[in-house]
Short mmCIF file of all heavy atoms in Angstrom, two decimals:
data_model
loop_
_atom_site.label_atom_id
_atom_site.label_comp_id
_atom_site.label_asym_id
_atom_site.label_seq_id
_atom_site.Cartn_x
_atom_site.Cartn_y
_atom_site.Cartn_z
N ASP A 1 -10.91 30.57 61.22
CA ASP A 1 -10.49 30.51 62.70
C ASP A 1 -11.73 30.27 63.61
O ASP A 1 -11.53 30.23 64.83
CB ASP A 1 -9.91 31.93 63.09
CG ASP A 1 -8.52 32.04 62.38
OD1 ASP A 1 -7.80 31.10 62.29
OD2 ASP A 1 -8.19 33.17 62.05
N PHE A 2 -12.98 30.22 63.11
CA PHE A 2 -14.07 30.02 63.94
C PHE A 2 -15.25 29.24 63.24
O PHE A 2 -15.19 29.08 61.99
CB PHE A 2 -14.62 31.31 64.49
CG PHE A 2 -15.25 32.25 63.41
CD1 PHE A 2 -16.62 32.24 63.13
CD2 PHE A 2 -14.46 33.08 62.66
CE1 PHE A 2 -17.20 32.96 62.13
CE2 PHE A 2 -14.96 33.86 61.69
CZ PHE A 2 -16.38 33.85 61.42
N LEU A 3 -16.24 28.72 63.96
CA LEU A 3 -17.35 28.14 63.47
C LEU A 3 -18.59 28.77 64.09
O LEU A 3 -18.57 29.30 65.19
CB LEU A 3 -17.40 26.65 63.81
CG LEU A 3 -16.41 25.67 63.03
CD1 LEU A 3 -16.41 24.30 63.69
CD2 LEU A 3 -16.75 25.63 61.58
N VAL A 4 -19.74 28.65 63.47
CA VAL A 4 -21.02 29.02 64.01
C VAL A 4 -21.66 27.74 64.62
O VAL A 4 -21.72 26.72 64.03
CB VAL A 4 -22.00 29.57 62.98
CG1 VAL A 4 -23.22 30.11 63.54
CG2 VAL A 4 -21.28 30.68 62.16
N LEU A 5 -22.07 27.90 65.85
CA LEU A 5 -22.66 26.70 66.51
C LEU A 5 -24.07 26.48 65.99
O LEU A 5 -24.79 27.40 65.60
CB LEU A 5 -22.77 26.93 68.06
CG LEU A 5 -21.36 27.05 68.74
CD1 LEU A 5 -21.69 27.17 70.28
CD2 LEU A 5 -20.48 25.84 68.44
N PRO A 6 -24.54 25.16 65.85
CA PRO A 6 -25.84 24.86 65.30
C PRO A 6 -26.97 25.23 66.19
O PRO A 6 -26.81 25.31 67.44
CB PRO A 6 -25.79 23.31 65.12
CG PRO A 6 -24.70 22.89 66.07
CD PRO A 6 -23.68 23.99 66.18
N GLY A 7 -28.19 25.50 65.68
CA GLY A 7 -29.38 25.70 66.46
C GLY A 7 -30.32 24.55 66.31
O GLY A 7 -29.98 23.52 66.10
N LYS A 8 -31.61 24.96 66.23
CA LYS A 8 -32.66 23.95 66.23
C LYS A 8 -33.36 24.04 64.84
O LYS A 8 -33.70 25.14 64.31
CB LYS A 8 -33.76 24.19 67.27
CG LYS A 8 -34.85 23.11 67.32
CD LYS A 8 -35.86 23.34 68.41
CE LYS A 8 -36.87 22.26 68.41
NZ LYS A 8 -37.97 22.54 69.51
N ILE A 9 -33.53 22.94 64.18
CA ILE A 9 -34.12 22.87 62.88
C ILE A 9 -35.58 22.45 63.04
O ILE A 9 -35.90 21.36 63.55
CB ILE A 9 -33.44 21.78 61.98
CG1 ILE A 9 -32.05 22.16 61.68
CG2 ILE A 9 -34.25 21.60 60.64
CD1 ILE A 9 -31.24 21.10 60.96
N ASP A 10 -36.46 23.40 62.68
CA ASP A 10 -37.93 23.05 62.69
C ASP A 10 -38.58 23.57 61.36
O ASP A 10 -39.76 23.97 61.41
CB ASP A 10 -38.59 23.68 63.95
CG ASP A 10 -38.33 25.14 64.13
OD1 ASP A 10 -37.77 25.77 63.16
OD2 ASP A 10 -38.77 25.69 65.18
N PHE A 11 -37.82 23.64 60.39
CA PHE A 11 -38.37 24.08 59.03
C PHE A 11 -37.49 23.57 57.94
O PHE A 11 -36.30 23.21 58.13
CB PHE A 11 -38.27 25.67 58.98
CG PHE A 11 -36.96 26.29 59.28
CD1 PHE A 11 -36.04 26.48 58.29
CD2 PHE A 11 -36.60 26.60 60.54
CE1 PHE A 11 -34.71 27.01 58.51
CE2 PHE A 11 -35.31 27.09 60.86
CZ PHE A 11 -34.37 27.37 59.76
N PRO A 12 -37.93 23.40 56.72
CA PRO A 12 -37.22 22.95 55.57
C PRO A 12 -36.24 24.00 55.09
O PRO A 12 -36.57 25.23 55.17
CB PRO A 12 -38.22 22.54 54.52
CG PRO A 12 -39.42 23.38 54.86
CD PRO A 12 -39.37 23.58 56.35
N SER A 13 -35.15 23.63 54.53
CA SER A 13 -34.22 24.68 54.02
C SER A 13 -34.72 25.49 52.92
O SER A 13 -34.39 26.76 52.71
CB SER A 13 -32.94 23.94 53.47
OG SER A 13 -33.22 23.13 52.35
N SER A 14 -35.77 25.03 52.14
CA SER A 14 -36.33 25.84 51.09
C SER A 14 -37.14 26.97 51.59
O SER A 14 -37.36 27.97 50.89
CB SER A 14 -37.37 24.95 50.34
OG SER A 14 -38.41 24.41 51.21
N GLU A 15 -37.44 27.11 52.90
CA GLU A 15 -38.13 28.21 53.47
C GLU A 15 -37.12 29.44 53.78
O GLU A 15 -37.61 30.48 54.07
CB GLU A 15 -38.87 27.87 54.78
CG GLU A 15 -40.11 27.01 54.55
CD GLU A 15 -40.93 26.83 55.75
OE1 GLU A 15 -40.58 27.46 56.75
OE2 GLU A 15 -41.89 26.08 55.74
N VAL A 16 -35.85 29.11 53.73
CA VAL A 16 -34.92 30.24 54.01
C VAL A 16 -34.78 31.24 52.90
O VAL A 16 -34.60 30.88 51.74
CB VAL A 16 -33.51 29.56 54.25
CG1 VAL A 16 -32.48 30.72 54.52
CG2 VAL A 16 -33.44 28.60 55.43
N THR A 17 -35.00 32.42 53.20
CA THR A 17 -34.97 33.59 52.24
C THR A 17 -33.66 34.28 52.35
O THR A 17 -33.09 34.45 53.37
CB THR A 17 -36.06 34.60 52.40
OG1 THR A 17 -35.98 35.14 53.72
CG2 THR A 17 -37.46 34.02 52.25
N LEU A 18 -33.06 34.47 51.19
CA LEU A 18 -31.66 35.06 51.12
C LEU A 18 -31.60 36.47 50.61
O LEU A 18 -30.57 36.93 50.16
CB LEU A 18 -30.74 34.14 50.31
CG LEU A 18 -30.74 32.68 50.68
CD1 LEU A 18 -29.68 31.99 49.74
CD2 LEU A 18 -30.22 32.58 52.17
N THR A 19 -32.68 37.13 50.58
CA THR A 19 -32.68 38.59 50.23
C THR A 19 -31.89 39.44 51.13
O THR A 19 -31.90 39.16 52.34
CB THR A 19 -34.20 39.13 50.14
OG1 THR A 19 -34.76 38.94 51.39
CG2 THR A 19 -35.04 38.48 49.12
N SER A 20 -31.15 40.39 50.60
CA SER A 20 -30.29 41.18 51.40
C SER A 20 -30.00 42.46 50.63
O SER A 20 -30.05 42.48 49.39
CB SER A 20 -28.97 40.39 51.67
OG SER A 20 -28.29 40.96 52.73
N LYS A 21 -29.60 43.44 51.40
CA LYS A 21 -29.33 44.75 50.85
C LYS A 21 -27.94 44.85 50.21
O LYS A 21 -26.93 44.39 50.83
CB LYS A 21 -29.36 45.87 51.93
CG LYS A 21 -30.72 46.20 52.37
CD LYS A 21 -31.39 47.18 51.48
CE LYS A 21 -32.78 47.71 51.99
NZ LYS A 21 -33.38 48.67 51.05
N LEU A 22 -27.78 45.35 49.04
CA LEU A 22 -26.52 45.66 48.38
C LEU A 22 -26.06 47.08 48.77
O LEU A 22 -24.96 47.36 49.14
CB LEU A 22 -26.65 45.54 46.84
CG LEU A 22 -25.38 45.96 46.15
CD1 LEU A 22 -24.28 44.95 46.31
CD2 LEU A 22 -25.72 46.21 44.63
N THR A 23 -27.06 47.97 48.70
CA THR A 23 -26.86 49.43 49.07
C THR A 23 -28.13 49.82 49.92
O THR A 23 -29.05 49.08 50.09
CB THR A 23 -26.68 50.26 47.91
OG1 THR A 23 -27.92 50.31 47.15
CG2 THR A 23 -25.54 49.82 46.97
N LYS A 24 -28.17 51.03 50.25
CA LYS A 24 -29.31 51.68 50.92
C LYS A 24 -30.58 51.46 50.15
O LYS A 24 -31.66 51.20 50.67
CB LYS A 24 -29.18 53.05 51.24
CG LYS A 24 -28.12 53.43 52.29
CD LYS A 24 -28.00 54.92 52.43
CE LYS A 24 -26.90 55.35 53.41
NZ LYS A 24 -26.86 56.81 53.59
N ASN A 25 -30.46 51.50 48.81
CA ASN A 25 -31.65 51.46 47.92
C ASN A 25 -31.79 50.28 47.09
O ASN A 25 -32.79 50.19 46.36
CB ASN A 25 -31.62 52.74 47.08
CG ASN A 25 -31.45 54.05 47.80
OD1 ASN A 25 -32.28 54.37 48.75
ND2 ASN A 25 -30.43 54.81 47.59
N ILE A 26 -30.86 49.37 47.04
CA ILE A 26 -30.87 48.22 46.13
C ILE A 26 -30.91 46.93 47.01
O ILE A 26 -30.06 46.72 47.86
CB ILE A 26 -29.77 48.16 45.19
CG1 ILE A 26 -29.85 49.42 44.22
CG2 ILE A 26 -29.74 46.87 44.37
CD1 ILE A 26 -28.66 49.54 43.30
N THR A 27 -31.91 46.12 46.73
CA THR A 27 -31.98 44.76 47.41
C THR A 27 -31.85 43.67 46.47
O THR A 27 -32.36 43.71 45.35
CB THR A 27 -33.40 44.61 48.20
OG1 THR A 27 -33.52 45.63 49.13
CG2 THR A 27 -33.51 43.31 48.84
N LEU A 28 -31.04 42.65 46.73
CA LEU A 28 -30.82 41.49 45.94
C LEU A 28 -31.61 40.27 46.49
O LEU A 28 -31.75 40.21 47.67
CB LEU A 28 -29.36 41.17 45.79
CG LEU A 28 -28.39 42.20 45.34
CD1 LEU A 28 -26.98 41.77 45.35
CD2 LEU A 28 -28.83 42.76 43.94
N ASN A 29 -31.96 39.37 45.62
CA ASN A 29 -32.55 38.12 46.10
C ASN A 29 -31.54 37.07 46.51
O ASN A 29 -31.94 36.03 47.14
CB ASN A 29 -33.46 37.59 44.99
CG ASN A 29 -34.75 38.35 44.78
OD1 ASN A 29 -35.36 38.82 45.80
ND2 ASN A 29 -35.16 38.58 43.60
N ALA A 30 -30.32 37.30 46.22
CA ALA A 30 -29.21 36.44 46.59
C ALA A 30 -28.05 37.25 46.98
O ALA A 30 -27.77 38.24 46.22
CB ALA A 30 -28.86 35.42 45.55
N PRO A 31 -27.29 37.05 48.02
CA PRO A 31 -26.18 38.04 48.44
C PRO A 31 -24.89 37.86 47.75
O PRO A 31 -23.86 37.89 48.39
CB PRO A 31 -26.10 37.66 49.92
CG PRO A 31 -26.32 36.18 50.02
CD PRO A 31 -27.39 35.92 48.93
N PHE A 32 -24.96 37.65 46.42
CA PHE A 32 -23.77 37.30 45.71
C PHE A 32 -23.31 38.49 44.69
O PHE A 32 -24.23 38.94 43.90
CB PHE A 32 -23.97 35.99 44.91
CG PHE A 32 -24.43 34.82 45.72
CD1 PHE A 32 -25.42 33.99 45.27
CD2 PHE A 32 -23.86 34.57 46.99
CE1 PHE A 32 -25.82 32.98 46.08
CE2 PHE A 32 -24.19 33.49 47.75
CZ PHE A 32 -25.25 32.69 47.29
N VAL A 33 -22.17 38.96 44.70
CA VAL A 33 -21.64 39.98 43.86
C VAL A 33 -20.34 39.51 43.24
O VAL A 33 -19.47 38.98 43.91
CB VAL A 33 -21.38 41.23 44.72
CG1 VAL A 33 -20.99 42.42 43.75
CG2 VAL A 33 -22.64 41.60 45.59
N SER A 34 -20.26 39.63 41.89
CA SER A 34 -19.03 39.30 41.28
C SER A 34 -18.11 40.50 41.22
O SER A 34 -18.49 41.63 41.05
CB SER A 34 -19.34 38.78 39.80
OG SER A 34 -19.84 39.78 39.02
N SER A 35 -16.83 40.17 41.37
CA SER A 35 -15.78 41.18 41.57
C SER A 35 -15.43 41.96 40.21
O SER A 35 -15.38 41.26 39.20
CB SER A 35 -14.51 40.57 42.09
OG SER A 35 -13.51 41.58 42.38
N PRO A 36 -15.12 43.29 40.31
CA PRO A 36 -14.85 43.95 39.06
C PRO A 36 -13.34 43.72 38.63
O PRO A 36 -12.52 44.67 38.76
CB PRO A 36 -15.06 45.45 39.42
CG PRO A 36 -14.80 45.50 40.95
CD PRO A 36 -15.26 44.10 41.47
N MET A 37 -13.11 42.53 38.18
CA MET A 37 -11.76 42.12 37.77
C MET A 37 -11.83 41.76 36.25
O MET A 37 -12.87 41.14 35.85
CB MET A 37 -11.26 40.98 38.61
CG MET A 37 -11.23 41.27 40.14
SD MET A 37 -10.94 39.79 41.13
CE MET A 37 -9.21 39.67 40.85
N ASP A 38 -10.76 42.00 35.50
CA ASP A 38 -10.89 41.73 34.14
C ASP A 38 -10.88 40.21 33.76
O ASP A 38 -10.94 39.92 32.58
CB ASP A 38 -9.85 42.63 33.36
CG ASP A 38 -8.34 42.19 33.71
OD1 ASP A 38 -8.18 41.26 34.48
OD2 ASP A 38 -7.47 42.87 33.19
N THR A 39 -10.56 39.39 34.74
CA THR A 39 -10.65 37.99 34.46
C THR A 39 -11.91 37.38 35.16
O THR A 39 -12.01 36.13 35.28
CB THR A 39 -9.37 37.22 34.98
OG1 THR A 39 -9.14 37.57 36.28
CG2 THR A 39 -8.27 37.55 34.00
N VAL A 40 -12.88 38.21 35.60
CA VAL A 40 -13.97 37.73 36.35
C VAL A 40 -15.31 38.34 35.66
O VAL A 40 -16.16 37.55 35.32
CB VAL A 40 -13.95 38.07 37.80
CG1 VAL A 40 -15.29 37.63 38.53
CG2 VAL A 40 -12.75 37.44 38.54
N THR A 41 -15.40 39.66 35.69
CA THR A 41 -16.65 40.19 35.28
C THR A 41 -16.70 41.09 34.05
O THR A 41 -16.18 42.18 34.01
CB THR A 41 -17.38 40.96 36.45
OG1 THR A 41 -17.33 40.17 37.65
CG2 THR A 41 -18.80 41.37 36.16
#
């Protein structure tokens, strides 16, 4: 239902860091979590 409007590019995409918190105490290097389903994980 929506889009994010573009900004200004003054850096290569390789400089973008994707670290993010999973919990208060655990940080991931990529914000990806696989679902606890018996046909997935």
Side-chain angles (χ1 to χ4, degrees):
D1 292 324
F2 67 94
L3 287 172
V4 186
L5 295 186
K8 183 179 181 179
I9 297 176
D10 55 6
F11 55 91
S13 63
S14 58
E15 287 188 8
V16 176
T17 58
L18 302 183
T19 56
S20 196
K21 288 277 191 181
L22 175 72
T23 66
K24 291 179 181 178
N25 305 304
I26 297 175
T27 299
L28 303 178
N29 288 320
F32 307 136
V33 185
S34 67
S35 183
M37 305 170 73
D38 63 3
T39 51
V40 176
T41 308

